[in-house]
Amino acid sequence: MKNKIFHPYTPFSVIEKGFPNMVRGEGIYLFDDRGNQYVDVVSSWWACALGHGHPKVVEAIKKQAGILQHSITGGLTHPGVLELADKLANLMPTPERHTVFASDGCSAVEAALKIAIQYWHNLGQPEKTWVIGMDQGYHGDSLGALGAGFVDGFHKPFDRVVAHHAKLPFPCPTENDPDGFEPSQMVIERHADKLAAVIVEPLCLGSAGMKIYSAGYLKKLADCCATNNVLLIVDEVAMGFGRTGKRFAFNHAGIDPDMVTVGKALTAGYMPMSACIVKDEIHNTFSDTPEDHTFYHGNTYAGHPIGCAAALAALDVYEAEDTVARAAEMAEKMKQWMQPMGELECVKELRFLGMIGVVELKPETKPLVAKIKASLFGQGYLFRPLGTMFYLMPPLVISDDDLRAAVYALQQTIEEFCE
Ligand code: PLP
């Protein structure tokens, strides 16, 4: 069959060569139509925290599909969405929250951006319309999310269309400013009268190449936003539900963000579902009158019953299997096993945050990256390097042996091509 897919993030040259046709998933593996198996080292775009085919999530989806497959949340409700909204609120430091449901990470981010802007409108401060993010931050590919993000290569064709008002510099610690927060503080203070919100990826800028910054920075950012009447949106789409060794990455900083966006691992990657969890003091500024204080925003699949069933099942499994604590434990082992790679001549840096392990190679290895990736693929490992950076972000349920084997394969292959 001719491939008629307009593939995301896939160079045409790669499409021409053809690629595997994945027909099945089980545990940490994906299987192609030729029977080859591949370790899903990046959890299928960081979503499949529980791996593939988890019986409890699969069962919940099947059951819900036979009961109620869809019913809208505009003017109606259903048991699954009520329960999920309550559960999500109770996962927050302060549970006085309402949740907007959506389908992809970027649609949860769009909701957050619009709520931030309308919140200030509702309060009679319509001049506060800017939502700014961090240099190299990424929040999705819709136009609003692009405006708050700064991954240059992705954005170039849209530079004239999206609103890049200002940005927070990526934290650069110094002796006097150990969290590298002061330059960001200056940006916030300078623009506070126009700023509706700041949005950040907590502790790790994923798409920019797993760039990690301190929890101290995030704490200072939360305090500075509060002092300057700027909302803080923490985008947990990639980090949420245990990836960093805590339930949410913002828990490392002990903060209580105004809005939290989640997606990906919310359903452990089983259904397209995302959410924006909003403090009641923001939600309560919306009302029927005047009409422009109403929340006129929604998506067809907002609160989709099967998505809710998948999310509720995933949250139950995280709880029952103590996934977050296990991830924190595994993270220590992964770090230990990866350390020897830091000694290799071609390695620029290793970085770690929870179950994210990064090997950044020196820039001169760039021509070898595709070869290393292809070799690992031949060995049954689905790595997706970013620039010269290889990273492990496996399902949180990966076994010790499988994780150690993946680390070993990466090290051997880097050595083979680069040393
Ligand atoms: N926010 C963050 C932090 C992300 O990493 C991503 C995607 O990688 C998104 C938002 C967008 O999510 P989606 O691709 O589901 O729209």
Side-chain angles (χ1 to χ4, degrees):
M1 201 186 310
K2 214 164 174 224
N3 184 353
K4 300 272 193 182
I5 301 170
F6 203 156
H7 284 272
Y9 289 103
T10 312
F12 278 12
S13 54
V14 173
I15 298 174
E16 277 156 23
K17 285 186 204 143
F19 34 61
N21 193 11
M22 296 303 183
V23 292
R24 193 167 71 80
E26 190 184 319
I28 61 164
Y29 296 104
L30 288 167
F31 296 84
D32 70 16
D33 56 3
R34 295 176 182 182
N36 298 312
Q37 70 176 44
Y38 306 88
V39 179
D40 189 0
V41 185
V42 296
S43 303
S44 289
W45 264 337
W46 319 340
C48 297
L50 296 173
H52 301 268
H54 195 292
K56 289 192 178 142
V57 189
V58 172
E59 193 45 44
I61 291 170
K62 278 191 197 161
K63 194 168 158 210
Q64 185 61 45
I67 297 173
L68 172 71
Q69 110 284 1
H70 193 28
S71 170
I72 63 172
T73 47
L76 294 173
T77 188
H78 60 81
V81 76
L82 281 169
E83 190 183 343
L84 183 57
D86 190 59
K87 275 232 155 96
L88 291 175
N90 281 300
L91 295 182
M92 295 290 121
T94 50
E96 290 76 29
R97 304 247 173 187
H98 281 71
T99 290
V100 176
F101 288 98
S103 40
D104 295 297
C106 73
S107 47
V109 166
E110 288 300 321
L113 305 184
K114 287 179 66 186
I115 290 167
I117 292 166
Q118 193 173 344
Y119 166 76
W120 292 109
H121 172 92
N122 294 346
L123 290 185
Q125 289 183 254
E127 65 287 353
K128 282 169 80 76
T129 57
W130 291 11
V131 182
I132 65 168
M134 189 182 275
D135 189 23
Q136 303 168 67
Y138 177 74
H139 303 285
D141 285 339
S142 53
L143 285 176
L146 280 186
F150 293 91
V151 182
D152 291 344
F154 297 178
H155 289 173
K156 215 166 181 186
F158 310 102
D159 257 0
R160 289 159 194 262
V161 185
V162 297
H164 278 165
H165 297 296
K167 61 183 170 185
L168 305 180
F170 184 77
C172 188
T174 62
E175 208 178 314
N176 296 330
D177 178 17
D179 293 307
F181 182 65
E182 280 167 21
S184 294
Q185 180 174 352
M186 277 157 57
V187 174
I188 293 168
E189 287 175 354
R190 185 174 333 127
H191 299 299
D193 56 338
K194 298 185 258 354
L195 274 178
V198 164
I199 180 167
V200 285
E201 290 174 77
L203 305 196
C204 177
L205 271 51
S207 302
M210 305 295 161
K211 301 210 162 138
I212 295 164
Y213 67 89
S214 72
Y217 175 98
L218 192 55
K219 170 78 177 105
K220 286 178 182 158
L221 177 65
D223 292 345
C224 181
C225 284
T227 312
N228 287 282
N229 281 330
V230 174
L231 298 179
L232 177 63
I233 305 164
V234 172
D235 181 359
E236 291 272 356
V237 166
M239 297 295 131
F241 304 104
R243 177 57 60 189
T244 67
K246 295 221 185 252
R247 180 178 283 129
F248 295 109
F250 73 74
N251 294 141
H252 291 274
I255 61 168
D256 187 21
D258 296 304
M259 287 188 251
V260 176
T261 50
V262 291
K264 297 188 190 270
L266 168 62
T267 67
Y270 282 79
M271 289 294 293
M273 165 160 258
S274 62
C276 173
I277 310 158
V278 183
K279 269 189 180 163
D280 276 354
E281 59 203 70
I282 300 170
H283 167 268
N284 294 346
T285 66
F286 288 73
S287 62
D288 288 3
T289 51
E291 200 181 4
D292 60 359
H293 287 196
T294 306
F295 186 48
Y296 282 124
H297 175 99
N299 304 115
T300 303
Y301 297 123
H304 190 269
I306 305 176
C308 290
L312 286 167
L315 296 182
D316 279 353
V317 174
Y318 294 146
E319 199 72 30
E321 296 184 4
D322 217 359
T323 311
V324 179
R326 189 176 175 280
E329 231 173 74
M330 288 294 280
E332 282 308 308
K333 294 181 190 170
M334 180 167 75
K335 190 170 173 181
Q336 199 188 317
W337 295 331
M338 287 180 73
Q339 287 298 353
M341 278 190 266
E343 306 296 316
L344 300 178
E345 185 60 31
C346 59
V347 170
K348 181 179 165 207
E349 179 177 75
L350 301 182
R351 295 193 285 279
F352 302 99
L353 175 66
M355 278 292 273
I356 306 169
V358 181
V359 186
E360 181 162 353
L361 302 177
K362 290 183 177 159
E364 57 270 26
T365 62
K366 201 158 182 213
L368 301 171
V369 167
K371 289 182 185 154
I372 298 170
K373 181 185 170 189
S375 169
L376 284 162
F377 183 69
Q379 297 167 56
Y381 290 98
L382 281 174
F383 279 90
R384 280 185 65 87
L386 292 162
T388 57
M389 193 208 65
F390 283 82
Y391 66 95
L392 286 130
M393 209 159 149
L396 302 178
V397 294
I398 192 169
S399 70
D400 280 26
D401 286 351
D402 287 329
L403 182 54
R404 200 200 297 248
V407 170
Y408 187 67
L410 179 60
Q411 177 170 345
Q412 290 286 300
T413 313
I414 290 174
E415 278 182 18
E416 185 188 335
F417 284 89
C418 302
E419 295 291 293

